[in-house]
Each structure stands twice: as structure tokens, then as C-alpha cells.
Amino acid sequence: MATNLKWPSVLALLLVAGMVGIASAGNIAVYWGQNVNEGTLADACSSGSYAYVIISFLSTFGSGQAPVLNLAGHCNPGECAGLASDIQSCKSQGVRVLLSLGGAGGNYGLSSTDDANSVADYLWDNFLGGTGSTSRPLGAVALDGIDLDIENGNPAHYDELASALKAKDGGVLLTAAPQCPYPDASLGPALQTGLFDAVWVQFYNNPGCAYAGGDDANLVAAWRTWTGGVRAGSFYLGLPASEEAAGSGYIPPGDLTGTVLPAVQGVGGGYGGIMLWSRYYDVLKNPNYSDQVKGSV
């Protein structure tokens, strides 16, 4: 091996090496935390399938409520600090770990600008890089960012929450999971801030803009609308990881890699990969959905 590399060449090699963990994962994001049979968080990260693992959900927050972390059977609310070692393991492998706010259930919402700022402070101090809290529901390790999966139809003040999080020291990695009908009823104004690093649009349980019966026309049209109407770091195709994971929108692996992905990648607009709901449904079948598609994602 030559030893006379110029500094820019060395830097380039280091950057490539630093990205190997994420690049080899095929740019797949997955939600984890809503079924105890999906395995541990550490297992999800060590699978080599995912670039992002999204802990779901902080299902109660805002409007003066005490925040509640609901991770189904993985741990009881207030007793999840033991996940810190799993999170650290994920981070050491180059997998980014985020906390998702909201979900289809839960009791959440923001009542004012002050409320949005208060929730941002709570997230920073309890889950991210802040030091203003000793409770730390997931232990002392800092997560990489915050995901907004807001599905209750109330869009108020989430744009201010996003701005407050991005204003924190060094900023916060922000992602969002809107429904594919555009604009999203809950996240429309927030997404127009242009502050989100990744947007994984849910192309399932929405027949009007999802894949159905071998036809991807509605999906591709919706993808074009999203990537043309929202400014974000990258866009991910949100999909169910098995037929059981959603009422509609499942795309067989061969159809995804052979037809749908080439179509959306051809549109341009910052394609980043795919998001899967969820880790449980991904491990439900053998071989896993992610294993079948990650080489083409």
C-alpha cells in the first residue's frame, strides 16, 4: 500500500470509513418498541439491517401533562434506564437512535409557544445532550435525535418545537413520519420550516397514495408531490415490513427493488432510503423484509 497519500486523500478515506456502518445498512430506518417479541434494541442494531432505529413512543406530552414513555412490554414507564447500554451499543456500531413522539394512540399536543419550548427543554435535558435533569428515562446516554410521528390531526406549535430543538447547542437530528396524503394534517406547518434532516413518508394505510395491486402510479405521484413541496435533508419511502403490519400499502420485496425504487429514485428530490414499520414485523418472517431489499435500497 502506498504511504505518500496527501492529507485530503487521508481525510476522504477516514470519512468513508466513518460512514461504513450506515452505508452498509442500506439506508433503512425502523421503528422499535411496540412489541416485546421483536427482540432487544441491541439485537436490532447488531442485525446490520438498519441505519436508524427509532424508539417508539413518547406517547404523552405537552399541555402541562407529565410525559409518559410507552415501550409496550420492553419496560415499564419510569423503569427503562436499563436501555442505556443497548443505546450505547447501537451508537458504537454507527446506528443512529432516535426517540419518536406521538404515534397513533397516546395523549399529546402542544398548547402554546411556551409549551413547545418547555417540551423541547424536557427532551433536551432528559433524552439528548442536556444536563439539567437527573431522571433520564433511558439512562445517561444521549440519543441522536427526535422523530415526530404526530397523528392526531392537530398541527399547532410543532413548527415551534422543531425550531426550539434545532436551536439547542449543536442542533438536534430531526425526522418526521407524515402520512402520504399531502399536506399532512398534523405535520404540514412543521415540515414547511425546512428544518428536518429526514422525512419518512408513510405510504401505507392510505390507499389513495399507496402501492396497490401492482400499480405504483399513485405512490410515485405522491412521492413527486412530497419531494417537490417540502425542503428536507432526504426523503424515505415508509413501508410495512410485512402484510400483517398494515391494512394496505405492502409492497412485495421483488416489486420494491425491481419497480418501485427505480421509479422513485428516478424522480430525484433527495431520496434517502426506506423506513419500515416495524422491527417486530420485519422479524416476523424469515428471511426478513429488510434482508431481502437492503442490497438494492
Side-chain angles (χ1 to χ4, degrees):
M1 180 180 292
T3 57
N4 62 341
L5 289 175
K6 303 294 186 182
W7 168 243
S9 299
V10 174
L11 178 60
L13 288 172
L14 290 173
L15 288 173
V16 170
M19 291 188 293
V20 166
I22 289 181
S24 64
N27 295 318
I28 298 176
V30 71
Y31 282 84
W32 175 94
Q34 287 299 293
N35 194 301
V36 70
N37 295 316
E38 65 196 335
T40 68
L41 180 61
D43 288 341
C45 293
S46 64
S47 70
S49 294
Y50 314 116
Y52 300 86
V53 176
I54 310 154
I55 298 174
S56 52
F57 294 100
L58 188 73
S59 59
T60 299
F61 63 86
S63 301
Q65 303 177 95
V68 175
L69 183 66
N70 177 0
L71 300 184
H74 288 286
C75 54
N76 294 323
E79 300 176 358
C80 297
L83 287 173
S85 60
D86 283 28
I87 295 167
Q88 189 58 55
S89 174
C90 294
K91 290 164 68 72
S92 71
Q93 297 173 74
V95 179
R96 295 184 176 185
V97 185
L98 300 93
L99 173 66
S100 186
L101 277 56
N107 183 16
Y108 55 84
L110 302 173
S111 60
S112 66
T113 299
D114 287 345
D115 192 24
N117 289 331
S118 177
V119 170
D121 289 342
Y122 169 80
L123 294 170
W124 177 251
D125 288 338
N126 287 273
F127 296 100
L128 300 165
T131 58
S133 173
T134 57
S135 64
R136 303 292 298 191
L138 294 175
V141 64
L143 299 179
D144 294 297
I146 297 296
D147 173 66
L148 300 184
D149 182 17
I150 308 303
E151 301 188 28
N152 64 4
N154 183 356
H157 307 293
Y158 287 106
D159 53 345
E160 294 167 314
L161 175 61
S163 296
L165 287 169
K166 276 296 186 184
K168 297 298 182 184
D169 185 22
V172 173
L173 178 66
L174 281 182
T175 66
Q179 309 291 313
C180 60
Y182 181 90
D184 184 79
S186 300
L187 288 169
L191 290 168
Q192 288 304 318
T193 64
L195 294 174
F196 287 81
D197 299 283
V199 177
W200 14 79
V201 184
Q202 296 185 41
F203 283 92
Y204 51 94
N205 293 334
N206 291 291
C209 48
Y211 182 89
D215 186 355
D216 66 356
N218 289 341
L219 182 153
V220 174
W223 179 268
R224 181 175 288 107
T225 298
W226 272 102
T227 56
V230 170
R231 181 166 49 90
S234 57
F235 292 86
Y236 284 62
L237 191 69
L239 302 172
S242 73
E243 293 177 88
E244 296 86 350
S248 62
Y250 175 74
I251 305 178
D255 292 0
L256 178 71
T257 59
T259 302
V260 178
L261 285 181
V264 299
Q265 289 167 349
V267 172
Y271 167 83
I274 67 172
M275 173 273 281
L276 295 178
W277 177 264
S278 60
R279 170 64 176 170
Y280 168 70
Y281 290 106
D282 195 28
V283 300
L284 193 62
K285 300 290 179 65
N286 185 16
N288 300 354
Y289 192 92
S290 59
D291 285 344
Q292 295 184 66
V293 304
K294 67 184 181 182
S296 301
V297 169

